[in-house]
Amino acid sequence: MDQQLAIIVLAAGQGTRMKSATPKLLHPLAGSPIVAHVLRTARALDAAHVIAVVRHERDQVAAAVESVFPGCIVVDQDEIPGTGRAVEQAVAALPDDFEGEVLVLNGDVPLLDADTLSAFLARHRGRAAHASVLSARYDDPSGYGRVVRDADGAFDRIVEQKDATDEERAIDEINAGIYAFGAGALRDHLANLTTDNAQGEKYLTDVIQLLREAGSEVEAVPVSEPWLVAGINDRAQLSETAARLNALIVRGWQLGGVTVEDPATTWIDLDVRIEPDVTIRPGTQLKGATVIATGAVIGPDTTLVDCEVGENAEVKRTDATLSVIGPEASVGPFSYLRPGTVLGRDGKIGAFVESKNATIGEGSKVPHLSYVGDATIGEHSNIGAGSIFANYDGVRKHHSEVGSHVRTGSHGVFVAPVRIGDGVYTAAGTVVRKDVPAGALAVNVAPQRNIEEWVQKHRPGTAAAKAAEAAGEASGSASIDASAD
Ligand code: UD1
Ligand code: CA
């Protein structure tokens, strides 16, 4: 642990440009709130003290901070606005004798990585500077504070957009809002900040100015790639940042041995885990804590949320949440796996099948057009096309059980709760309301009656009646009857 390092994460701002009921810092990015990315980076730097400053929607933001980083100290900013006030209140929460470095991070700058920050901090410490500022050159610097340099190119000061002259606004080097300070120098000057500026805020950038006036050394350090310090202020920047992060994540998995056929249409959350030799086909989203084992082929057009997929499984054109797909199993196309689906090794969930809270054992298949809800199916059973597990009596859900090596006919209805024993057959169109013992054939279909010439009598003149008459003439009989030959 770096005993000489304290990190302050600024997370009190309102984020009005998102135009959202959700606090800006809690909008999701690769499966985690924006601020969680910054907190992960802070954790990677292993600082002795990490403080997040909250105010806007403080309960929601504080809860998110505590869930991703339990040891983080949460400080509430009072009604005095500005980045300077936020840092002032955070510093007050540090031990009085802390004399190391204070690194200030922005809660809405999620792509800045721990390696870049370590290098920045090492440079700051190496020069024994009182403050260092990360900067970037932007084609469109509007909205940011600008870094003003002197004739020799040395750092002079930072000017806020709203306080800048036209000439200063033409500068393309911006203040990224990421700083390293010596704790003592920072404490000395925070106390002297005022709200005497265009925004009526305590500017953290004024500490830089006060340091300069006191003859202290300040350096602005440009980042290698401007996107590293890109902030998220509106939803356009959110999607740009998400695309950038996704490209990095996809590339990481590609270099780790995963085939991703179309990176542009493949979205992978940060917490997903994928083994080598997985193939991901176009239009696939892997979300949450999804885990994919080697040899699996996922997609095209598949969304998996918090799923576990076994070795060599195939999942195509599928939407699945909180489901387990066993090794060698096959799912899709057009399958909908809702929470609690567990498909065993070599099992199958086929086209237009919906499942929920259903365990389908090894080698068992639900190939076509079925609903399996609240059911346990044993091993090597086959559920006929168009089967429904009727789990809901209008008030409560009930569970059904099907044994192993069962063959159910097409268009069966299993009215829960019901138990179907091992080796059972059911006839097509059976509504199973009673338990079926092992080895039985269940039939409850009424015998079929054919009422001869019903169509000609009751639907005269229709196309159907004409077709029936034509068929009768062709066979030399009014009805189709084997005995007529
Ligand atoms: C600040 C800098 C500006 C820089 C920009 C980079 C100042 C005065 N200006 O601009 O030079 O180019 O960052 O993004 O510092 N926050 C608080 N409490 C507040 C206000 C803001 O915690 O009272 C937090 C926000 O949640 C955000 C960060 O501080 O994470 C930056 O705030 P924002 O309003 O985006 O920055 P500016 O003040 O516009
Ligand atoms: Ca502001």
Side-chain angles (χ1 to χ4, degrees), residues 272-308:
V272 169
R273 291 292 165 260
I274 312 173
E275 290 184 359
D277 283 325
V278 164
T279 297
I280 300 176
R281 309 209 47 219
T284 294
Q285 295 162 289
L286 304 178
K287 293 171 154 290
T290 292
V291 180
I292 318 269
T294 188
V297 179
I298 313 295
D301 301 327
T302 291
T303 301
L304 304 182
V305 184
D306 297 324
C307 287
E308 198 183 310

Side-chain angles (χ1 to χ4, degrees), residues 10-13 77 81-83 86 106-108 144-145 160 175-177 179 203 205:
L10 301 181
Q77 187 173 349
T83 49
N106 251 307
D108 62 1
Y144 289 94
E160 291 306 294
N175 166 29
Y179 314 82
Y203 288 171
T205 46

Side-chain angles (χ1 to χ4, degrees), residues 310-367:
E311 280 182 36
N312 303 320
E314 263 190 66
V315 185
K316 62 175 79 152
R317 295 190 205 280
T318 288
D319 187 310
T321 299
L322 282 166
S323 294
V324 178
I325 296 166
E328 318 286 336
S330 148
V331 177
F334 310 110
S335 304
Y336 182 31
L337 279 58
R338 292 165 50 203
T341 299
V342 179
L343 178 62
R345 171 181 288 274
D346 200 28
K348 179 181 174 83
I349 292 179
F352 305 104
V353 172
E354 175 178 343
S355 60
K356 184 216 68 171
N357 190 23
T359 299
I360 299 168
E362 180 171 330
S364 284
K365 299 187 181 353
V366 188

Side-chain angles (χ1 to χ4, degrees), residues 5-12 25 35 37-45 47 50-53 83 86-87 102-110 112-114 116-118 120 134 176-181 204 229:
L5 182 61
I7 298 178
I8 297 172
V9 177
L10 301 181
L25 295 179
V35 71
H37 296 266
V38 181
L39 291 166
R40 278 185 209 235
T41 304
R43 190 166 43 204
L45 292 168
V50 180
I51 299 171
V53 186
T83 49
V87 170
V102 177
L103 183 65
V104 177
L105 303 182
N106 251 307
D108 62 1
V109 178
L112 188 55
D113 61 297
T116 302
L117 284 169
S118 294
F120 172 64
L134 267 185
I178 315 292
Y179 314 82
F181 294 99
L204 182 56
V229 292

Side-chain angles (χ1 to χ4, degrees), residues 445-465:
V445 185
Q448 177 173 323
R449 282 198 304 146
N450 294 341
I451 302 171
E452 307 267 329
E453 294 181 27
W454 185 93
V455 174
Q456 293 92 317
K457 283 181 195 140
H458 294 277
R459 298 288 183 273
T462 62

